[in-house]
Amino acid sequence: MEGQIELVDYLRQIGRKNFNILDYIPTGSEKAIRRSDLVKTCGLPDRYVRNAIALARREIPILNLQMGRGYFIPDMNDEEDRKKLIRYVRQEESRLKHIGWSLKSARQTLRNCGIDWRTEGEKKKQGKGKKKHKKDAA
């Protein structure tokens, strides 16, 4: 968002250039850590910890299975953790499916009103892959 400091910029500002949330999240569900404890351990605000987790999830699965036990990286050598990862994938796929159905009606409503949600409200940028028309050049 405009005007908000990004996580990387914030970490640089406080002198933590090599911060990696994965250094603080344990492997194995039995060692799960609550986010409030991550906040204390990392010394970062809750919002930044949540953002760091979201970014790290692009590289490695980090689970928090709504049981209140906390975040952990599944131990793929442990049968229970493998089952938890399967449950997590199914849960998130179901969530994705429900979001898709919700968006379908919202997109249809915008189309019915002649609104292209992908470009509405954006400033048109010239020179970024779009050809400049002769009448625009004048």
Side-chain angles (χ1 to χ4, degrees):
M1 267 189 156
E2 190 174 320
Q4 289 186 345
I5 189 167
E6 294 292 325
L7 176 64
V8 174
D9 295 329
Y10 175 79
L11 294 172
R12 282 190 193 121
Q13 184 181 19
I14 64 171
R16 298 187 65 183
K17 295 177 185 174
N18 297 320
F19 174 79
N20 185 350
I21 194 69
L22 295 174
D23 293 337
Y24 300 89
I25 298 176
T27 299
S29 58
E30 294 301 316
K31 299 175 187 173
I33 184 169
R34 294 177 193 264
R35 195 171 70 228
S36 59
D37 293 329
L38 277 171
V39 167
K40 290 175 190 172
T41 305
C42 297
L44 295 171
D46 182 72
R47 181 173 43 161
Y48 292 103
V49 170
R50 282 185 285 128
N51 190 27
I53 291 168
L55 291 172
R57 279 181 164 156
R58 295 176 181 179
E59 305 298 322
I60 192 164
I62 299 171
L63 307 187
N64 181 16
L65 294 175
Q66 302 181 11
M67 292 180 248
R69 297 201 52 198
Y71 293 91
F72 66 95
I73 298 165
D75 180 352
M76 297 311 292
N77 295 313
D78 181 79
E79 185 177 349
E80 286 303 311
D81 276 11
R82 288 193 303 268
K83 287 178 183 177
K84 289 175 182 178
L85 181 57
I86 290 169
R87 188 168 62 230
Y88 171 78
V89 169
R90 288 179 179 159
Q91 168 189 300
E92 294 303 304
E93 284 180 341
S94 176
R95 183 176 292 156
L96 182 62
K97 183 177 170 182
H98 284 91
I99 290 170
W101 283 111
S102 298
L103 282 173
K104 183 178 180 183
S105 64
R107 288 178 182 141
Q108 187 60 51
T109 299
L110 289 169
R111 277 193 292 271
N112 292 346
C113 294
I115 300 169
D116 185 349
W117 68 93
R118 297 164 293 195
T119 59
E120 186 72 20
E122 292 180 8
K123 292 180 182 176
K124 298 198 179 200
K125 298 175 185 175
Q126 290 187 347
K128 298 249 179 177
K130 294 184 179 181
K131 290 184 179 179
K132 197 173 185 180
H133 295 285
K134 288 182 182 180
K135 65 178 183 179
D136 293 339

